PDB file of all heavy atoms in Angstrom:
ATOM      1  N   PRO A 206      13.826  -2.530 -24.379  1.00  0.00           N
ATOM      2  CA  PRO A 206      13.893  -2.307 -22.923  1.00  0.00           C
ATOM      3  C   PRO A 206      12.513  -2.206 -22.293  1.00  0.00           C
ATOM      4  O   PRO A 206      11.539  -1.813 -22.933  1.00  0.00           O
ATOM      5  CB  PRO A 206      14.618  -0.965 -22.827  1.00  0.00           C
ATOM      6  CG  PRO A 206      14.204  -0.238 -24.078  1.00  0.00           C
ATOM      7  CD  PRO A 206      14.059  -1.296 -25.146  1.00  0.00           C
ATOM      8  N   VAL A 207      12.427  -2.546 -21.020  1.00  0.00           N
ATOM      9  CA  VAL A 207      11.207  -2.363 -20.222  1.00  0.00           C
ATOM     10  C   VAL A 207      11.625  -1.884 -18.832  1.00  0.00           C
ATOM     11  O   VAL A 207      12.598  -2.394 -18.261  1.00  0.00           O
ATOM     12  CB  VAL A 207      10.404  -3.681 -20.092  1.00  0.00           C
ATOM     13  CG1 VAL A 207       9.301  -3.552 -19.035  1.00  0.00           C
ATOM     14  CG2 VAL A 207       9.783  -4.071 -21.423  1.00  0.00           C
ATOM     15  N   ILE A 208      10.889  -0.917 -18.312  1.00  0.00           N
ATOM     16  CA  ILE A 208      11.070  -0.506 -16.921  1.00  0.00           C
ATOM     17  C   ILE A 208      10.029  -1.219 -16.070  1.00  0.00           C
ATOM     18  O   ILE A 208       8.839  -1.235 -16.416  1.00  0.00           O
ATOM     19  CB  ILE A 208      10.911   1.024 -16.765  1.00  0.00           C
ATOM     20  CG1 ILE A 208      12.016   1.760 -17.511  1.00  0.00           C
ATOM     21  CG2 ILE A 208      10.918   1.411 -15.279  1.00  0.00           C
ATOM     22  CD1 ILE A 208      11.817   3.268 -17.557  1.00  0.00           C
ATOM     23  N   TYR A 209      10.495  -1.801 -14.986  1.00  0.00           N
ATOM     24  CA  TYR A 209       9.635  -2.515 -14.040  1.00  0.00           C
ATOM     25  C   TYR A 209       9.729  -1.743 -12.722  1.00  0.00           C
ATOM     26  O   TYR A 209      10.748  -1.770 -12.052  1.00  0.00           O
ATOM     27  CB  TYR A 209      10.142  -3.958 -13.975  1.00  0.00           C
ATOM     28  CG  TYR A 209       9.931  -4.788 -12.745  1.00  0.00           C
ATOM     29  CD1 TYR A 209       8.738  -4.792 -12.022  1.00  0.00           C
ATOM     30  CD2 TYR A 209      10.943  -5.666 -12.331  1.00  0.00           C
ATOM     31  CE1 TYR A 209       8.588  -5.606 -10.912  1.00  0.00           C
ATOM     32  CE2 TYR A 209      10.802  -6.483 -11.230  1.00  0.00           C
ATOM     33  CZ  TYR A 209       9.622  -6.447 -10.513  1.00  0.00           C
ATOM     34  OH  TYR A 209       9.470  -7.253  -9.410  1.00  0.00           O
ATOM     35  N   ALA A 210       8.658  -0.974 -12.399  1.00  0.00           N
ATOM     36  CA  ALA A 210       8.719  -0.005 -11.311  1.00  0.00           C
ATOM     37  C   ALA A 210       7.845  -0.451 -10.138  1.00  0.00           C
ATOM     38  O   ALA A 210       6.712  -0.897 -10.327  1.00  0.00           O
ATOM     39  CB  ALA A 210       8.258   1.366 -11.812  1.00  0.00           C
ATOM     40  N   VAL A 214       9.679   3.561  -5.989  1.00  0.00           N
ATOM     41  CA  VAL A 214       9.561   4.816  -6.741  1.00  0.00           C
ATOM     42  C   VAL A 214       8.730   5.818  -5.944  1.00  0.00           C
ATOM     43  O   VAL A 214       9.054   7.005  -5.862  1.00  0.00           O
ATOM     44  CB  VAL A 214       8.916   4.552  -8.122  1.00  0.00           C
ATOM     45  CG1 VAL A 214       8.587   5.862  -8.824  1.00  0.00           C
ATOM     46  CG2 VAL A 214       9.815   3.683  -8.971  1.00  0.00           C
ATOM     47  N   LEU A 223      11.365   9.042 -12.885  1.00  0.00           N
ATOM     48  CA  LEU A 223      10.972   7.857 -13.662  1.00  0.00           C
ATOM     49  C   LEU A 223      10.339   8.279 -14.986  1.00  0.00           C
ATOM     50  O   LEU A 223      10.637   7.715 -16.038  1.00  0.00           O
ATOM     51  CB  LEU A 223       9.990   7.007 -12.851  1.00  0.00           C
ATOM     52  CG  LEU A 223       9.451   5.772 -13.568  1.00  0.00           C
ATOM     53  CD1 LEU A 223      10.562   4.765 -13.835  1.00  0.00           C
ATOM     54  CD2 LEU A 223       8.338   5.115 -12.751  1.00  0.00           C
ATOM     55  N   LEU A 226      13.037   9.417 -17.399  1.00  0.00           N
ATOM     56  CA  LEU A 226      13.782   8.295 -17.964  1.00  0.00           C
ATOM     57  C   LEU A 226      12.964   7.597 -19.058  1.00  0.00           C
ATOM     58  O   LEU A 226      13.473   7.325 -20.152  1.00  0.00           O
ATOM     59  CB  LEU A 226      14.128   7.292 -16.858  1.00  0.00           C
ATOM     60  CG  LEU A 226      14.698   5.943 -17.316  1.00  0.00           C
ATOM     61  CD1 LEU A 226      16.010   6.136 -18.066  1.00  0.00           C
ATOM     62  CD2 LEU A 226      14.902   5.003 -16.142  1.00  0.00           C
ATOM     63  N   ALA A 227      11.701   7.329 -18.749  1.00  0.00           N
ATOM     64  CA  ALA A 227      10.859   6.614 -19.714  1.00  0.00           C
ATOM     65  C   ALA A 227      10.680   7.423 -20.991  1.00  0.00           C
ATOM     66  O   ALA A 227      10.794   6.877 -22.109  1.00  0.00           O
ATOM     67  CB  ALA A 227       9.507   6.305 -19.085  1.00  0.00           C
ATOM     68  N   GLU A 228      10.412   8.701 -20.855  1.00  0.00           N
ATOM     69  CA  GLU A 228      10.111   9.518 -22.039  1.00  0.00           C
ATOM     70  C   GLU A 228      11.372   9.846 -22.840  1.00  0.00           C
ATOM     71  O   GLU A 228      11.320  10.001 -24.068  1.00  0.00           O
ATOM     72  CB  GLU A 228       9.397  10.794 -21.606  1.00  0.00           C
ATOM     73  CG  GLU A 228       7.998  10.503 -21.051  1.00  0.00           C
ATOM     74  CD  GLU A 228       7.223  11.749 -20.692  1.00  0.00           C
ATOM     75  OE1 GLU A 228       7.813  12.848 -20.733  1.00  0.00           O
ATOM     76  OE2 GLU A 228       6.030  11.620 -20.355  1.00  0.00           O
ATOM     77  N   ILE A 232      10.788   4.315 -23.203  1.00  0.00           N
ATOM     78  CA  ILE A 232      10.842   2.957 -22.649  1.00  0.00           C
ATOM     79  C   ILE A 232       9.487   2.612 -22.039  1.00  0.00           C
ATOM     80  O   ILE A 232       8.985   3.350 -21.183  1.00  0.00           O
ATOM     81  CB  ILE A 232      11.938   2.849 -21.564  1.00  0.00           C
ATOM     82  CG1 ILE A 232      13.294   3.279 -22.130  1.00  0.00           C
ATOM     83  CG2 ILE A 232      12.020   1.418 -21.017  1.00  0.00           C
ATOM     84  CD1 ILE A 232      14.391   3.356 -21.087  1.00  0.00           C
ATOM     85  N   PRO A 233       8.865   1.516 -22.437  1.00  0.00           N
ATOM     86  CA  PRO A 233       7.603   1.097 -21.815  1.00  0.00           C
ATOM     87  C   PRO A 233       7.781   0.825 -20.323  1.00  0.00           C
ATOM     88  O   PRO A 233       8.834   0.334 -19.900  1.00  0.00           O
ATOM     89  CB  PRO A 233       7.239  -0.188 -22.560  1.00  0.00           C
ATOM     90  CG  PRO A 233       8.048  -0.150 -23.812  1.00  0.00           C
ATOM     91  CD  PRO A 233       9.300   0.599 -23.500  1.00  0.00           C
ATOM     92  N   VAL A 234       6.745   1.141 -19.543  1.00  0.00           N
ATOM     93  CA  VAL A 234       6.825   1.004 -18.084  1.00  0.00           C
ATOM     94  C   VAL A 234       5.696   0.110 -17.582  1.00  0.00           C
ATOM     95  O   VAL A 234       4.524   0.341 -17.886  1.00  0.00           O
ATOM     96  CB  VAL A 234       6.700   2.373 -17.384  1.00  0.00           C
ATOM     97  CG1 VAL A 234       6.773   2.210 -15.868  1.00  0.00           C
ATOM     98  CG2 VAL A 234       7.802   3.321 -17.865  1.00  0.00           C
ATOM     99  N   THR A 235       6.055  -0.909 -16.825  1.00  0.00           N
ATOM    100  CA  THR A 235       5.052  -1.710 -16.125  1.00  0.00           C
ATOM    101  C   THR A 235       5.280  -1.539 -14.627  1.00  0.00           C
ATOM    102  O   THR A 235       6.420  -1.407 -14.183  1.00  0.00           O
ATOM    103  CB  THR A 235       5.115  -3.196 -16.527  1.00  0.00           C
ATOM    104  OG1 THR A 235       4.106  -3.925 -15.810  1.00  0.00           O
ATOM    105  CG2 THR A 235       6.467  -3.811 -16.224  1.00  0.00           C
ATOM    106  N   THR A 236       4.204  -1.480 -13.873  1.00  0.00           N
ATOM    107  CA  THR A 236       4.341  -1.274 -12.430  1.00  0.00           C
ATOM    108  C   THR A 236       3.804  -2.481 -11.673  1.00  0.00           C
ATOM    109  O   THR A 236       2.930  -3.209 -12.139  1.00  0.00           O
ATOM    110  CB  THR A 236       3.581  -0.026 -11.947  1.00  0.00           C
ATOM    111  OG1 THR A 236       2.193  -0.221 -12.139  1.00  0.00           O
ATOM    112  CG2 THR A 236       4.030   1.224 -12.669  1.00  0.00           C
ATOM    113  N   PHE A 244       3.772   5.897 -12.098  1.00  0.00           N
ATOM    114  CA  PHE A 244       3.880   6.279 -13.504  1.00  0.00           C
ATOM    115  C   PHE A 244       2.467   6.492 -14.032  1.00  0.00           C
ATOM    116  O   PHE A 244       1.549   5.742 -13.667  1.00  0.00           O
ATOM    117  CB  PHE A 244       4.592   5.189 -14.309  1.00  0.00           C
ATOM    118  CG  PHE A 244       4.920   5.602 -15.711  1.00  0.00           C
ATOM    119  CD1 PHE A 244       5.954   6.493 -15.959  1.00  0.00           C
ATOM    120  CD2 PHE A 244       4.181   5.122 -16.785  1.00  0.00           C
ATOM    121  CE1 PHE A 244       6.258   6.885 -17.261  1.00  0.00           C
ATOM    122  CE2 PHE A 244       4.474   5.503 -18.085  1.00  0.00           C
ATOM    123  CZ  PHE A 244       5.518   6.392 -18.329  1.00  0.00           C
ATOM    124  N   LEU A 252       2.268   0.112 -19.484  1.00  0.00           N
ATOM    125  CA  LEU A 252       1.832  -1.266 -19.761  1.00  0.00           C
ATOM    126  C   LEU A 252       0.877  -1.760 -18.690  1.00  0.00           C
ATOM    127  O   LEU A 252       0.443  -2.908 -18.735  1.00  0.00           O
ATOM    128  CB  LEU A 252       3.057  -2.186 -19.801  1.00  0.00           C
ATOM    129  CG  LEU A 252       4.092  -1.920 -20.892  1.00  0.00           C
ATOM    130  CD1 LEU A 252       5.342  -2.758 -20.651  1.00  0.00           C
ATOM    131  CD2 LEU A 252       3.504  -2.222 -22.261  1.00  0.00           C
ATOM    132  N   ILE A 267       7.694  -8.417 -20.746  1.00  0.00           N
ATOM    133  CA  ILE A 267       8.721  -8.967 -19.847  1.00  0.00           C
ATOM    134  C   ILE A 267       9.368 -10.202 -20.488  1.00  0.00           C
ATOM    135  O   ILE A 267      10.587 -10.399 -20.427  1.00  0.00           O
ATOM    136  CB  ILE A 267       8.103  -9.346 -18.487  1.00  0.00           C
ATOM    137  CG1 ILE A 267       7.651  -8.093 -17.739  1.00  0.00           C
ATOM    138  CG2 ILE A 267       9.095 -10.158 -17.636  1.00  0.00           C
ATOM    139  CD1 ILE A 267       8.757  -7.190 -17.280  1.00  0.00           C
ATOM    140  N   LEU A 272      16.331  -5.835 -22.026  1.00  0.00           N
ATOM    141  CA  LEU A 272      16.868  -5.126 -20.868  1.00  0.00           C
ATOM    142  C   LEU A 272      15.714  -4.836 -19.915  1.00  0.00           C
ATOM    143  O   LEU A 272      14.699  -4.260 -20.323  1.00  0.00           O
ATOM    144  CB  LEU A 272      17.528  -3.798 -21.280  1.00  0.00           C
ATOM    145  CG  LEU A 272      18.074  -2.971 -20.104  1.00  0.00           C
ATOM    146  CD1 LEU A 272      19.280  -3.662 -19.463  1.00  0.00           C
ATOM    147  CD2 LEU A 272      18.440  -1.560 -20.553  1.00  0.00           C
ATOM    148  N   LEU A 273      15.877  -5.236 -18.666  1.00  0.00           N
ATOM    149  CA  LEU A 273      14.869  -4.964 -17.647  1.00  0.00           C
ATOM    150  C   LEU A 273      15.474  -3.999 -16.632  1.00  0.00           C
ATOM    151  O   LEU A 273      16.471  -4.324 -15.975  1.00  0.00           O
ATOM    152  CB  LEU A 273      14.437  -6.268 -16.941  1.00  0.00           C
ATOM    153  CG  LEU A 273      13.255  -6.133 -15.986  1.00  0.00           C
ATOM    154  CD1 LEU A 273      11.966  -5.826 -16.748  1.00  0.00           C
ATOM    155  CD2 LEU A 273      13.080  -7.402 -15.149  1.00  0.00           C
ATOM    156  N   ILE A 274      14.859  -2.827 -16.527  1.00  0.00           N
ATOM    157  CA  ILE A 274      15.333  -1.825 -15.565  1.00  0.00           C
ATOM    158  C   ILE A 274      14.384  -1.890 -14.373  1.00  0.00           C
ATOM    159  O   ILE A 274      13.270  -1.365 -14.405  1.00  0.00           O
ATOM    160  CB  ILE A 274      15.334  -0.420 -16.194  1.00  0.00           C
ATOM    161  CG1 ILE A 274      16.079  -0.436 -17.524  1.00  0.00           C
ATOM    162  CG2 ILE A 274      15.942   0.595 -15.219  1.00  0.00           C
ATOM    163  CD1 ILE A 274      15.838   0.798 -18.381  1.00  0.00           C
ATOM    164  N   ALA A 275      14.805  -2.578 -13.320  1.00  0.00           N
ATOM    165  CA  ALA A 275      13.964  -2.804 -12.145  1.00  0.00           C
ATOM    166  C   ALA A 275      14.233  -1.688 -11.145  1.00  0.00           C
ATOM    167  O   ALA A 275      15.359  -1.514 -10.684  1.00  0.00           O
ATOM    168  CB  ALA A 275      14.272  -4.165 -11.529  1.00  0.00           C
ATOM    169  N   VAL A 276      13.178  -0.951 -10.803  1.00  0.00           N
ATOM    170  CA  VAL A 276      13.353   0.255  -9.993  1.00  0.00           C
ATOM    171  C   VAL A 276      12.499   0.154  -8.732  1.00  0.00           C
ATOM    172  O   VAL A 276      11.261   0.176  -8.798  1.00  0.00           O
ATOM    173  CB  VAL A 276      12.940   1.511 -10.791  1.00  0.00           C
ATOM    174  CG1 VAL A 276      13.273   2.769  -9.989  1.00  0.00           C
ATOM    175  CG2 VAL A 276      13.613   1.550 -12.143  1.00  0.00           C
TER     176      VAL A 276
END
Side-chain angles (χ1 to χ4, degrees):
V207 168
I208 295 172
Y209 153 42
V214 171
L223 177 66
L226 170 61
E228 292 184 352
I232 304 173
V234 180
T235 180
T236 65
F244 189 74
L252 297 171
I267 293 292
L272 178 69
L273 188 68
I274 308 165
V276 186

